[in-house]
Amino acid sequence: MTGAVLASVIVVLGVVGAFIAKQFLGEYLKRSGATAFDRTARWYSRRAKFGRRLVRRYAEAVREDFTTHAMGFVTDGTIDITEVYVPLQYERGGRREDIYDNVRAQSRTVVVGPAGAGKSMLLKNSMLLWAKNPSPARVPVFIELHRCNGSTATLIDLIVAELGRSRLDRDGRIHDLTLRGLRDGAFTLLLDGLDEVGRDDQQRVYEALRDLSREYPDCQYIVTCRDVVYQGQPLGPAFAHIVRVAEFDDAAVVRFLSHWPGLTDAAELFVGLRDNPALMRLARSPLLLTMIAYLHTEVLTRSGRRLPTSRTAFYREAITHLLNRDPDLGRARSVYQAGEKLAVLQQVALRSMESTGDDRLTLSRRALESTTKDLLPDLNLDQTHVKDLLDEIIDRSQLLVATDKARTAFTFRHLTLQEYLAAVELADDPDGLLRRYHADPAAWRETVKLWCGATTRDCTKVISDIFSAADHHRVLALECLAEATRVDNEFAEIVIQHFLARLGTDDPVRDAVITALGTVASDSRPRGVRVFAALCDIARGVDSAAVDALFALSASGRAEAAHVLAAMASRIVARVARAALRSMGEAALPTLVAQAKADALWAIDDIAAVGTPAAAEALAGLLWQPVRVATHVAWRLAQLLPSPGVEDQVRRVVPPDEETREFDWVWAPFAEGRDDPLRAICGRVAELIYAGTPPDGITTIDRRIAIPLAVRSLGEASPLGDTEIYSIARRLPGVGLGNQRAAVKQFLLEAPPDDEHAVLAGSMIVERSGLIGVRRQLIDLLGGSVQLVLYSVLLERDGSAERRIRYDDWANIGAIQRQAKHLWRLSRWLLLSLVWLLSLTGVGRHILTAIGTAPLGPRWASIAFLSAVVVGFVLLVVASSGTLEKGPKETLIGFSGLLAACVFLSAIVMGAATIYTALWLTGVAVLVAISLVAAGCALVARAWDRVRDNPFRRCYEAEVNRVENPASIISG
């Protein structure tokens, strides 16, 4: 009898074990096989196209190669793009907008702008942003188009070479990968410097670009070119989307200077630029602003000198510094004089500019040596000095830099420096300058302007010759007049009157005419005063000439221009006058503030458009004006608060004393002490926003204000009933019966921010919660991930489980929060261990009793207990088979739960015997200790979670954790 019972028990347990093994290991093996197949498929896929491993390696190479960018005139003076990069803009309809969305939306774009406008930095910054979060779906490749000069290499060869230089061609298959990527549309081709393609190669390169875009239409193409070179559409209708880079506005200048390393007096430097219109005009070019910051920090501040006030003076200052900096800085003694090195550089620059068949930017070592050898007799040096003189220019002065490791090819760091040196070389040869200009106007245009600014001789002959050319070339005469040091006054008046008469006409170079007239008018000397007065007279009209005159006045940058433009703001040309006034930047702030105090809401918008810290300070000073003005100000100031330098500047405003400040809690987490003026200022902003309506054009405000106000507005929402939850749930895929409130909440928290079903559900939740007006607008101003959190919070407001919104939770979001996940994990595993311990010891003790080895109580009771366990376990497995279809971890937890259920189900029958047998083997102390530790971990973790899990923190973390590349032009 004993053997039969034992055999029966073993058979039953064997069957149960086999069933469990089949369910658990069968699913595991099936998943393992599928995983192996997927891995094999992915391996073959990587052999055919860019996989994540190759993309990661390429991203590492991009970060290494593109993080630093030469300043344009020194090689050891590099800047970190990630630190100093300032987002670019373009102008549309008189307003400035970020360039990035515009370019990303198009598959083929030509980005044009003047020399040094930041076109190359635009491409390199986008490369770095991609490298932070690389994706094989769109891989950017940076190609310098001047490599096409004098070469038979195709564009595909250049792409392959670029990827090869990035160390991706270790197994010799990069060419096949490139062709596959082009066919799949996996590349964004960043083609830099179309203007640097030599004249003999231009047509070939144009055709190559057109053919490449037709053959591989799914790739993204972005070409950069100087605006003076890209006239018409040489790339054809396929590249019809042309974006013109806008010059830096005041906000961009301030941001750039505030990020410049070693510049401790950025605000003071900006004020000096603002007060000098001619200097400020130079600072609107990123290249010239880089020179200003470098010279101010490294040269002028240390010597107590002032900044030059013209472009040519800047180049002269920079080049003089580079040629003399070794002795100036106490470095190695220079063997050759600065004048000798300058003479070589000027001759090299001129010969490079004269080159038409090859690249005008790149020079071979042989050409450098030949040019130097020809010049040495004039310098009273023999031929033995060729190598040493060149080495000192290249290694010490660093105005020429090698483009390859073998040092067989060299280039000037920027074409503008080369053009300036060529202009200086031709200082006494105006006829030679004109001859070269007429042979290639596009290539020599900048050199002519620099020549007029660099020479002290009479420029009348040169400008007169240019003025007699065709109409679309004549504007260069006016631009030269703005640069020239000496020119016949009567002839200058003829040129000025000609272009004043051209205002308002359909001139293809209208923008250049307006800018040039503004430049002449900015001069405080007699000629500038006369032009300024003439522009004021024309601006008083109502025709198109008045419109052009208004923008010319704005381009002058003079404080008097702001008063004239403000006076025009009430006339028929009010919109144009305001646009022109806004474009003056900080120079217009006093006039705009006066208009705002007179209840002109447009002036508030224009102050915000200036966007600088000083503009934010001006807005903060208007917060205690009448409510209509103050509310408008509050919204605009909330827009500006995230901008660099704004907080420190706004702190200079002294808020009035008030007895009650209901919204001071909004800025509490970010305040620098209880007396921080920003507590009261931002509290006033929050109070006005919460009670007012946003003006037109508000798309985002500082999240530090938007989030607390949006969460507070949830307290005014109506709880959603079960009927409303049902109507929302039935529109969502995968949400079935059961606890639909929890299911909808889970769907929202797991959905991507742009998921159409999540957006629809959120809209329904907000609408049925009764949030309207500014309450709903506050939610709409936040990012999609934050909105999903807010929707989930609204679902929690079901009356019985309503969450109390406490302002202290917002005040503590800056505190370091403890992670409770490890405590929860420990608690769960302790409880699982306890379940298994109780179960296995109890079952084991009954088995011993049933076989008579260590009896404890009647054998029939133990046999009945084991039978109940087996039957209960089988029933529960069948009823809950879905649990065993999950992963190994979930299966283990589910199995533990089933086993525990069997034990407790059997305990109903065998009650005290089960507990007694478990305690007999385990011991009360061990069980109590495990239970107490598990309970303690759970209680502490729950307390920590209550601190973390509140609506304020969830929204704030969702906003902070958003990953975006807003300053990237790479689509996808």
Side-chain angles (χ1 to χ4, degrees), residues 261-330:
L263 184 57
T264 58
D265 57 343
E268 181 180 343
L269 176 58
F270 176 77
V271 171
L273 294 172
R274 185 191 62 193
D275 293 342
N276 188 327
L279 201 58
M280 191 66 191
R281 187 166 54 255
L282 298 178
R284 301 206 183 279
S285 163
L287 173 64
L288 292 177
L289 184 57
T290 300
M291 293 184 66
I292 289 172
Y294 174 81
L295 291 175
H296 179 80
T297 306
E298 303 295 332
V299 182
L300 302 178
T301 300
R302 298 179 181 182
S303 61
R305 288 179 287 159
R306 300 176 61 184
L307 285 168
T309 57
S310 70
R311 183 166 57 143
T312 52
F314 268 115
Y315 293 137
R316 183 167 55 250
E317 187 79 46
I319 291 172
T320 301
H321 165 68
L322 294 175
L323 294 176
N324 288 307
R325 64 177 180 164
D326 278 345
D328 289 348
L329 298 176

Side-chain angles (χ1 to χ4, degrees), residues 764-830:
M764 295 174 65
I765 290 171
V766 173
E767 179 181 349
R768 299 183 183 189
S769 297
L771 293 176
I772 59 175
V774 71
R775 306 295 181 265
R776 177 161 188 167
Q777 289 170 322
L778 283 168
I779 296 176
D780 292 341
L781 288 174
L782 292 165
S785 54
V786 184
Q787 292 180 19
L788 294 179
V789 173
L790 291 171
Y791 301 151
S792 69
V793 173
L794 285 171
L795 289 175
E796 297 171 357
R797 300 184 57 80
D798 60 350
S800 60
E802 181 175 347
R803 301 179 65 89
R804 185 164 63 94
I805 297 174
R806 302 178 304 172
Y807 299 146
D808 287 346
D809 290 336
W810 175 247
N812 294 326
I813 62 164
I816 298 176
Q817 300 299 315
R818 299 180 178 90
Q819 294 290 334
K821 60 182 180 181
H822 302 298
L823 288 178
W824 281 119
R825 186 178 294 119
L826 177 60
S827 177
R828 283 196 299 270
W829 282 108
L830 286 173

Side-chain angles (χ1 to χ4, degrees), residues 1-15 847 850-851 859 863 866:
M1 179 67 180
T2 302
V5 172
L6 179 60
S8 300
V9 172
I10 293 174
V11 169
V12 172
L13 293 176
V15 171
I847 291 175
I851 63 178
R859 294 178 60 189
I863 294 173
L866 292 175

Side-chain angles (χ1 to χ4, degrees), residues 124-134 964-969:
K124 292 182 178 181
N125 182 67
S126 296
M127 293 281 291
L128 288 171
L129 290 176
W130 173 86
K132 287 183 179 179
N133 188 25
E964 292 182 307
N965 283 342
S968 173
I969 55 178

